[in-house]
Amino acid sequence: MLWLLMVTTEDFEGWGREDSDFALRLLNNGVISRRIRYKAIVFHIYHFEKPKNNLEKNNSIELQTIKNNVTWCDNGINKDKSENK
């Protein structure tokens, strides 16, 4: 399950598209989706809505995931730790 973290990018800023991009990367890795309507309980953790001023950039990231069949991200949990020093 650790590989799931490797497909989660930190490129998104503000509101929008990070959830669908994550789902696309899972599908691109061969994970099969299943519809669970009326078969499971879903919880949503309340949070304040982030600003939508970067939505165009976030859309672009998601479109690149679709166009290039992206399965991995460079700017995620596996990024070079030296840049944080």
Side-chain angles (χ1 to χ4, degrees):
M1 294 296 282
L2 181 60
W3 70 272
L4 290 176
L5 298 174
M6 306 303 184
V7 300
T8 306
T9 184
E10 295 181 17
D11 290 335
F12 291 96
E13 295 178 22
W15 183 90
R17 307 300 181 249
E18 67 278 2
D19 294 338
S20 55
D21 185 77
F22 177 71
L24 286 165
R25 289 170 192 261
L26 290 177
L27 292 171
N28 291 346
N29 274 287
V31 174
I32 299 170
S33 67
R34 296 189 63 188
R35 302 290 175 207
I36 60 170
R37 178 174 260 170
Y38 308 120
K39 297 177 185 174
I41 298 172
V42 177
F43 290 98
H44 182 266
I45 299 171
Y46 175 79
H47 55 84
F48 292 105
E49 191 171 288
K50 295 179 181 177
K52 297 181 181 179
N53 54 338
N54 287 316
L55 186 56
E56 187 174 325
K57 176 186 174 227
N58 292 350
N59 281 339
S60 176
I61 296 169
E62 183 183 37
L63 290 173
Q64 288 300 313
T65 297
I66 295 167
K67 179 182 175 185
N68 298 323
N69 199 34
V70 176
T71 59
W72 193 261
C73 65
D74 294 323
N75 188 23
I77 195 170
N78 60 326
K79 68 182 173 184
D80 184 8
K81 302 296 184 221
S82 63
E83 67 185 44
N84 294 329
K85 294 181 181 177

